[in-house]
Amino acid sequence: MTDEEIARLAEKLSLAQKVRLLTGATTWRTAAEPAVGLGELVTSDGPAGVRGQAWDERRTSALLPSASALGAMWDETVIERLGGVLAQEARDKGVHVVLAPTLNLHRSPLGGRHFECLAEDPELAGRAGAALIRGIQAHGVAATAKHYVANDSETDRLTVDVRVGERALRELYLAPFEAAVDAGVWAVMSGYNSVNGSTMTASALLAEPLKGEWGFDGLVVSDWGAVRTTVETALAAQDLAMPGPDGVWGERLLRAVESGEVPGEAVDDKVRRLLRLAERVGALGEADPAPRPPRTPTSPRGLLREAVAAGSVLLSNNGVLPLDAGELSSVAVIGVHAAQPRSQGGGSAGVFPTHVVTPLDGIRTELRGRARVVYAPGPSAGTEPLPLGTDRCVDPRTGDRGVLLRMLDEAGHELYAEHRGSGRLLEPTLVPGAHTVEISALLRPGTGGEWTFGIGGFGKLRLTVDGQNLVDGEFPRLTDDPAVVHVGPPCQYGRARLTRGRAVRVVARRELAPDTGRATVVTAAPPAPDPETALAEAVAAARDADAVVVVVGTTEGSESEGYDRASLALPGHQDALVAAVAAANPRTVAVVNAGGPVELPWREAAGAVLLSWFPGQEAGAGLADVLFGHAEPGGRLPTTWGARLDDVPVSRTRPEGGILPYEEGLHIGYRAWLRSGRQPAAGF
């Protein structure tokens, strides 16, 4: 469809119809307009996978390695193929617009969303992002370059004003977005933050250089909730305000146009861009979308396994790797992360994978029938209590593995009930008259002692275990950050002493209140092992084995969207664990399961150090391929790793007085290290 044909379609609409299209119809969909043959556009988070329109553990997704792993591949062909996986998932779920890639830079290793970004270098980030865009859009699904621009840290991210000079802005932070436009990206997302005094949804940078100098002809969509004023954002080159149906455009924008505060042509341009995007993805009239290769019935598992190896970085190797399975009689696998790896980062990009192959699973599969595998978790890794799930709970009503979700009215009468697989219910089903969300389960503890239980949400919360009150109180919402309110609400904790094998009934209730979301989370954790005993058991296992694989990493509490990191140290007792195990057995491979840089004080003592990032659903299978020589660890660092946080040249992420100055100018990443004269632990 030509620009002239799209313009004629827009002319058929009244002003009210046009304005209605510029705010989302729901959280994830735009409005349809039958008068011009416009269907709804469905959006979904990325880039680790395509979740679809609901946070529902029953709707699973293919889980890719984190964006930092993609940046480590330095391989546009593999990244483009992974973009094809995202596109096929999107098509299967009726999604037109994937909200990926994230093109912000690794300015500081403390950035909480570091794992969702590609590199510290704008050229590498731009090339990797362009490859992902090509892979997605080749299938008629729109990619979205985000978050335009300088949205490189999480502290006060809704309001922070980044002050950055023109040259650094152009050569560093805008450069990956220019590469995305050159690659033909169909959508760009404006961020929450301000740059040089102007909030991004009202920034002149949306017009120049984005739409003017670079010639971007696609749609500018806001980050969810980032459009917070009417006139100034409508006068800017912001096109679509998400989510909906409520917002600051709508009737207020209609009145602003009618009063002359906003010219009608500004609205017309926004509508034309929306129609152009709809035409590109096949949601406008009878138009054919971009050519779509036929959907193949093959699983993406092989590619996702290949991607684990392609992004893995071998930081050091003293002749230990690859391991020869034929020469091994026993292997010790050590660390909590070996059995419970972080396959993805925390926050809005999270998906529910159909499965995750753990490192322990992958190694056991590789050595089955050939060598004995001994597992020792070691001391605590500092992980937070996990949501109730099918591994240790049953629905008290049906006896099926999982939990019971009920919606209650104000008098406590049941309005709705269903069986669910997880105690993390971010969008429990709403029904008329709903007043309280209740999650209950029977938990049979495999370990006795003092357990820690938690309930996450806002407002009035109550948590009981066998009738004993562990949490009971009002917990107000203290943030507007949607990643906290709707995805990661804080938990309140209590403790109860349990007897091994004796089932207890866990009941969590959260009253629904305006402006608090409805996300409800129930967690449980057994008593932490005695650190000295657990460490001794791990050392004994290592000493008796022919080779050792110890897996360590970050936790959701130490690396996630919504907040920046305070430290680069591994949580819990993990550094002591690696040091002790490596001292007991020189054939120790330390595998680092983190989305961004961490301190590795034991790196010279380990026989080999392998960085696996957040490796996605095929984590253990791909890791085994690398450990046993079936695949090359093809990754190279996309960002510089410091030996200590104190050595890192650019670490500030916390604004002062609402302002975060990028005082380093051009000198981030390897440029900053070169200027500082310091030696990193591992270079870009």
Side-chain angles (χ1 to χ4, degrees), residues 487-526:
V487 181
C491 277
Q492 314 300 326
Y493 295 103
R495 290 177 174 81
R497 185 162 291 278
L498 307 186
T499 301
R500 182 176 183 271
R502 179 184 173 277
V504 294
R505 185 183 180 97
V506 182
V507 180
R509 287 188 173 184
R510 180 235 162 124
E511 291 187 5
L512 298 170
D515 265 349
T516 62
R518 64 183 195 267
T520 309
V521 183
V522 190
T523 67

Side-chain angles (χ1 to χ4, degrees), residues 388-389 392-396 402-404 439-443 464 466 504-508 522:
L388 300 181
R392 51 188 170 170
C393 291
V394 298
D395 182 326
V403 305
L404 173 65
I439 301 170
S440 61
L442 292 177
L443 181 148
T464 65
D466 271 358
V504 294
R505 185 183 180 97
V506 182
V507 180
V522 190

Side-chain angles (χ1 to χ4, degrees), residues 449-451 453 462-472 494-498 502 504-508:
E450 190 174 63
W451 280 61
F453 293 87
R462 187 181 183 197
L463 174 65
T464 65
V465 174
D466 271 358
Q468 175 188 353
N469 267 358
L470 302 188
V471 177
D472 192 357
R495 290 177 174 81
R497 185 162 291 278
L498 307 186
R502 179 184 173 277
V504 294
R505 185 183 180 97
V506 182
V507 180

Side-chain angles (χ1 to χ4, degrees), residues 201-233:
T201 52
S203 174
L205 293 170
L206 297 176
E208 293 293 345
L210 180 60
K211 290 184 176 179
E213 178 185 330
W214 297 347
F216 174 63
D217 66 353
L219 183 85
V220 174
V221 57
S222 73
D223 206 339
W224 268 226
V227 173
R228 289 164 285 205
T229 62
T230 303
V231 173
E232 65 173 344
T233 53

Side-chain angles (χ1 to χ4, degrees), residues 169-185:
L169 183 63
R170 282 278 187 160
E171 294 186 17
L172 297 183
Y173 302 102
L174 284 169
F177 291 93
E178 184 175 10
V181 173
D182 288 344
V185 72

Side-chain angles (χ1 to χ4, degrees), residues 27-28 45 51 53-58 344-352 387 403 405 407 418 420 422-430 437 439 456-458 482-491 510 512 516-523 556 561:
T27 302
W28 300 109
D45 278 317
R51 188 176 58 251
Q53 298 181 69
W55 287 89
D56 189 328
E57 76 285 351
R58 297 166 297 187
Q344 60 184 318
S348 62
V351 300
F352 299 98
V403 305
L405 165 67
M407 302 300 289
E418 67 175 341
R420 298 295 294 266
S422 171
R424 183 173 183 246
L425 298 176
L426 304 185
E427 293 177 336
T429 305
L430 280 181
V437 179
I439 301 170
F458 297 98
V484 178
V485 176
H486 302 295
V487 181
C491 277
R510 180 235 162 124
L512 298 170
T516 62
R518 64 183 195 267
T520 309
V521 183
V522 190
T523 67
E556 190 154 342
E561 179 185 356

